[in-house]
Every structure is written in C-alpha cells, then in structure tokens.
Amino acid sequence: MEDGDIVYGPYPYQAITDRRKMKHYCFVLEVNEERMLVAAGTSSHLDSCLLEHEFQIEQKRDIEKLHLARETRFDMKEVAWVDLWDFEPVSNIQECPNLYYKLQRALRSSGHI
C-alpha cells in the first residue's frame, strides 16, 4: 500500500472488535512497515455542504475509475493508524488526476500538507 491509495476495511478501527464487519473505504495518507494512517470514508450525508477538509468523489466516471461502489466522501480530519493486513487495496488517486486540486485543498485544510 502507498500514499494516495483507496482501501477497504474495518473502520472506525478502535470501535470494532470483529474486523470482518463494518467495512468502509478509507484514503491512505501515510504508510510505514506494518501500519498506515487513513482518513475515513462515508457514503452517508453526501447532500450536505462539503467542508474544506473533506474530499468527495462524486462523478460517475471517477467512481468507476477508482472502483468505488458509490459516491464517497473522505474526512481528512477523521484519521486513524490501522494495521495494513486488515485492509484490501481498491485503487489509487493517480487514476483520476482531475481530482488532485480538490484533494490538495482538503489535505491543506486538514494540516496534512
């Protein structure tokens, strides 16, 4: 896994005792040997106003390129360190360079860059 990956796995990580349940898409912000820092993804409340620290993938072509099941919003302020082996890789943001500006804005607003 690497920075910019979209992964699928158990989240919120600390609240789940059975890691096979409650899976969500997450955005990888940082990776070390055994763990990675991820931002939470959700497909709920997508009609509410997007905050500066949130990054939303909403266009059908982007959803398809990134292999997401539906429109997804990532909250770059809701992050956690998780174990690599609990998540499966889905795609990488490099598949959609048209999203870089929106991603940079969210990362900057949340203090990640």
Side-chain angles (χ1 to χ4, degrees), residues 34-82:
E34 296 181 6
R35 297 176 57 80
M36 60 186 170
L37 182 66
V38 298
T42 184
S43 57
S44 301
H45 309 292
L46 296 176
D47 55 345
S48 63
C49 185
L50 189 67
L51 301 174
E52 279 191 355
H53 62 272
E54 295 176 325
F55 170 60
Q56 189 164 322
I57 300 168
E58 55 198 334
Q59 298 297 319
K60 185 177 178 18
R61 70 179 182 277
D62 296 330
I63 293 167
E64 289 172 355
K65 278 184 179 179
L66 294 171
H67 308 288
L68 300 172
R70 61 186 58 87
E71 189 174 338
T72 304
R73 180 184 291 188
F74 296 97
D75 184 341
M76 299 303 181
K77 283 191 174 179
E78 184 182 331
V79 299
W81 283 97
V82 298

Side-chain angles (χ1 to χ4, degrees), residues 31-36 81-86:
V31 179
N32 65 29
E33 291 179 17
E34 296 181 6
R35 297 176 57 80
M36 60 186 170
W81 283 97
V82 298
D83 295 331
L84 285 170
W85 51 84
D86 286 332

Side-chain angles (χ1 to χ4, degrees), residues 3 5 20 23 32-33 55 57 67 79 83 104 110 112-113:
D3 299 3
D5 279 351
R20 296 169 295 167
K23 293 188 174 188
N32 65 29
E33 291 179 17
F55 170 60
I57 300 168
H67 308 288
V79 299
D83 295 331
Q104 292 285 331
S110 59
H112 293 293
I113 56 172

